[in-house]
Amino acid sequence: MPDSSTQPFLADDCPTHRVGPIDVRFDTPDREVLTDLAAMYRHLQLDHPTATSPDHQTVTLAARPQRHRWRNAIPTPLTRWAIVANGTPMFDQLPRAALVPYLDWAVNWRIIDTLDRWLLLHAGTVSRDGRGLLLAAASGSGKSTLTAALVAAGWSLMSDEFGAIDPATRQLQPIPKPMCVKAGSFPPVAAMGLPIRTGRHYIKAFKGQVGYVTPADLIDAGHPAPFATSPAPLSAIVFPQRIAGHRLSIEPIAPADAAFRLARHAFNRHKHPDGAMRLLLDLSNATPCLSLTYGEATNAARRLAEHVADVCVRRDAA
C-alpha cells in the first residue's frame, strides 16, 4: 500500500509567501496549524506571485497524517505526521505539536538546499540606517536573544537564521522569517516588549518548547521598522556568546580568525569557488570583526550598537 504522506494536498486557499528568493506554500488538513503559519508569515504573503529571477523557485510544504491500513483515517491525538516538500519526504513520525516548528524549519532546509547563488551563514542579521550587522554563532549561543534585543532597540530584522551574502555585491540579503525563541528566553524577550506567540504548545526537537516573534505581530504592536526589505552592506561581523551572569565583553578579532570562524558557520560554502574562503577573507578584512560575550541581552544590544557606530565613524574618518 503506498504511503499517502508523500502526496501534497495543494488546497486552493493556501496563501503563497515570498521568503527571500523562494515562494512557499504551507498545506495541511489541520486548519489550526495552517492558520498559525499564515499568521506568522503574514508579512510575506503575496497577492500575485511572480518570478523574480532565473533561479526563482516555488515550494509546497505539506503536512499529512501518516496512515496505516489498520488505523482509522481520521487523525487522532496519537496520529503521527509527515512533512514533504513538493512531494519529497523531509520529516516523519511527528506529533501534532511539532508541526508548526517543523514546517517553519523545513523552509530553512529548502533555502539551504536550493539557494546556491548566495553564501548562507548560520547567523542573525539586522539592519539600521542602511548598514547591516551579522551575528554568526552556533545554536544555543544566545544569537536569537541578541537579535531580538536589537530588533527591540529599533533595528530591522533581516533574518534570525541566515546571514545571506551575495558574492557579487558583498551585501547582506533580507530573509525576514519569524524568529524562533526557546522557552528559556521567553522572559527576557517578553521584557524587551516583543510579542511572543506561545499560545500553542510548539515542540521542536532538542530545543523543546519554542515560541515565535513575528514581523507581522511587531507591525501590529506599532514597531516602526520590524523587518528589512532591501540589502545592506556589512557594518560589523560579531560572534556572540551568552553566559548567564557574565559581564559584557566586546573584543576585536583578527580578520583571518574571523574568516575561519565564519567558514565553520557556512551552510553551503561547498557550492562556492574555493569553499568561499576568498569571499570570507575579503569580508573580514573590510569589516570590523568582534567577539561579544554577554549575560543580559538588552544592555548588550545597546553597547554593541554604540561600539559599532564608534568603530564605523573612526573607520570612515581614517
Side-chain angles (χ1 to χ4, degrees):
M1 181 178 181
D3 185 355
S4 61
S5 68
T6 61
Q7 304 301 317
F9 279 94
L10 297 175
D12 292 336
D13 60 346
C14 294
T16 300
H17 310 274
R18 181 146 296 165
V19 186
I22 70 172
D23 288 351
V24 176
R25 297 178 72 198
F26 298 108
D27 202 1
T28 173
D30 191 315
R31 306 308 295 181
E32 289 187 352
V33 169
L34 196 62
T35 298
D36 282 3
L37 289 163
M40 287 166 52
Y41 280 78
R42 174 165 51 91
H43 64 295
L44 300 176
Q45 184 171 332
L46 297 177
D47 294 327
H48 304 288
T50 56
T52 56
S53 64
D55 58 353
H56 180 88
Q57 299 188 40
T58 300
V59 59
T60 297
L61 297 173
R64 296 205 62 173
Q66 294 183 283
R67 299 171 182 168
H68 300 282
R69 66 183 68 188
W70 60 87
R71 292 182 182 172
N72 193 308
I74 299 175
T76 72
L78 297 179
T79 298
R80 288 296 182 262
W81 295 71
I83 294 175
V84 300
N86 289 351
T88 300
M90 292 191 71
F91 306 109
D92 62 6
Q93 299 300 317
L94 298 175
R96 181 177 182 268
L99 287 183
V100 168
Y102 272 81
L103 282 163
D104 178 67
W105 200 7
V107 176
N108 294 344
W109 282 110
R110 293 309 299 165
I111 290 173
I112 293 169
D113 288 343
T114 62
L115 184 54
D116 296 344
R117 61 189 170 98
W118 294 347
L119 177 64
L120 300 175
L121 306 172
H122 187 224
T125 48
V126 294
S127 66
R128 189 173 190 174
D129 299 327
R131 293 181 179 270
L133 192 61
L134 184 144
L135 314 172
S139 296
S141 63
K143 165 183 64 66
S144 294
T145 305
L146 184 57
T147 301
L150 287 161
V151 170
W155 293 70
S156 298
L157 176 69
M158 299 193 80
S159 179
D160 176 46
E161 194 67 30
F162 296 111
I165 300 171
D166 184 343
T169 64
R170 309 296 173 90
Q171 292 190 332
L172 288 174
Q173 306 296 313
I175 309 179
K177 294 175 67 268
M179 290 187 283
C180 183
V181 180
K182 293 184 291 187
S185 293
F186 288 176
V189 172
M192 298 171 193
L194 299 181
I196 310 175
R197 288 182 170 264
T198 59
R200 304 185 196 279
H201 196 56
Y202 300 150
I203 303 297
K204 184 178 179 182
F206 61 90
K207 290 188 176 182
Q209 185 180 4
V210 298
Y212 291 90
V213 176
T214 79
D217 290 339
L218 293 174
I219 293 171
D220 293 341
H223 193 290
F227 67 101
T229 58
S230 302
L234 271 171
S235 60
I237 297 169
V238 183
F239 299 92
Q241 179 63 57
R242 182 186 181 191
I243 301 176
H246 197 282
R247 185 176 180 179
L248 180 68
S249 172
I250 304 176
E251 301 292 340
I253 297 178
D257 184 17
F260 280 101
R261 291 195 192 193
L262 289 175
R264 291 198 295 269
H265 295 300
F267 289 117
N268 65 342
R269 66 188 184 94
H270 61 286
K271 297 181 179 179
H272 293 264
D274 302 319
M277 283 308 303
R278 174 51 56 189
L279 172 61
L280 294 175
L281 283 167
D282 289 348
L283 288 172
S284 299
N285 276 302
T287 310
C289 302
L290 306 168
S291 172
L292 183 149
T293 306
Y294 74 98
E296 195 278 315
T298 299
N299 180 56
R302 178 181 60 82
R303 292 282 300 278
L304 175 62
E306 292 172 349
H307 186 89
V308 170
D310 183 58
V311 169
C312 289
V313 168
R314 294 201 309 267
R315 183 188 60 184
D316 293 343

